[in-house]
Amino acid sequence: MEILRIVVTGGVGAGKTTFIRTISEIETVDTDRKATDEIALLKDKTTVALDFGRLTIAPNQSLHLYGTPGQARFDFMWDILIQKAHAYILLIDAHRPEHLRYGRKILQFMKHRVKIPCLIGLTHTDCPDAWQMEDIALTLGLLDENNRLPIISVNPTEAASVKKSLIALLEEFAKYYQYSTQ
């Protein structure tokens, strides 16, 4: 069985756990605990180690999805989870501009640790105060439009949207490995 390991990362409330729960064909393994700090203002529970889900994509091929914690105090898990990943998706909540700097920090962290395909998934784009894709790209430091990481809108609560983002990430994976073997 060929296993492709995908890391789903992002800040608190970006939709990582929901993304994995929505698409996993197994009951998701999670480490959600009651939020006891300022995170409790955003949500009741928070991931403290990882989330895990699985999706079969071919008879002998599956995706293993690993969700990172969103809080900086658990950032050591980012390093553990990204080391054996084949690709990752960074979820950015488009309606919380105060979280964009943190999203940029996560992106820079990952880029310094590994050279693997990445996709930016914008969540909460349906909120009235959501930022536009171009503004988010600039804030993340993705200035070169011709050589930019792919950015798509994703709704972590909708299976079709999550599937679409995973397909886009797998297309990036295929391009990356096709290019790197030439």
Side-chain angles (χ1 to χ4, degrees):
M1 165 86 57
E2 181 181 6
I3 296 170
L4 297 173
R5 290 177 295 277
I6 306 296
V7 168
V8 181
T9 191
V12 172
K16 301 173 301 292
T17 300
T18 302
F19 181 100
I20 293 172
R21 282 184 183 147
T22 297
I23 202 71
S24 180
E25 64 193 18
I26 63 169
E27 185 176 340
T28 307
V29 176
D30 67 51
T31 57
D32 283 359
R33 297 295 178 262
K34 182 173 174 41
T36 58
D37 54 10
E38 69 279 356
I39 302 306
L41 299 173
L42 293 173
K43 55 191 215 166
D44 294 332
K45 291 185 172 189
T46 189
T47 301
V48 297
L50 66 102
D51 297 313
F52 175 77
R54 186 184 70 216
L55 178 64
T56 302
I57 57 174
N60 283 325
Q61 193 173 47
S62 67
L63 297 179
H64 284 190
L65 303 165
Y66 297 89
T68 68
Q71 296 179 61
R73 65 183 169 154
F74 302 120
D75 65 1
F76 64 91
M77 287 301 298
W78 304 348
D79 202 27
I80 292 169
L81 294 173
I82 201 65
Q83 290 304 319
K84 296 202 181 223
H86 293 100
Y88 67 98
I89 183 167
L90 171 61
L91 297 182
I92 300 287
D93 44 351
H95 75 306
R96 291 192 182 114
E98 67 275 14
H99 290 190
L100 290 174
R101 183 177 303 164
Y102 189 63
R104 185 175 179 160
K105 175 186 174 182
I106 295 170
L107 183 60
Q108 293 306 312
F109 179 92
M110 297 299 181
K111 285 171 119 178
H112 284 87
R113 294 296 191 276
V114 292
K115 303 292 183 227
I116 58 176
C118 172
L119 177 83
I120 308 293
L122 302 182
T123 62
H124 302 98
T125 56
D126 56 337
C127 294
D129 52 350
W131 279 31
Q132 296 299 308
M133 189 177 296
E134 187 62 27
D135 295 329
I136 292 172
L138 293 173
T139 304
L140 292 176
L142 306 173
L143 307 176
D144 182 359
E145 289 182 37
N146 298 320
N147 194 22
R148 184 181 285 174
L149 293 172
I151 304 173
I152 65 168
S153 180
V154 59
N155 183 335
T157 65
E158 293 178 1
S161 181
V162 172
K163 245 184 233 184
K164 181 180 171 186
S165 67
L166 288 172
I167 289 168
L169 183 60
L170 291 175
E171 288 170 352
E172 288 301 308
F173 175 82
K175 283 192 280 189
Y176 179 86
Y177 287 101
Q178 179 182 13
Y179 177 77
S180 67
T181 60
Q182 292 178 350

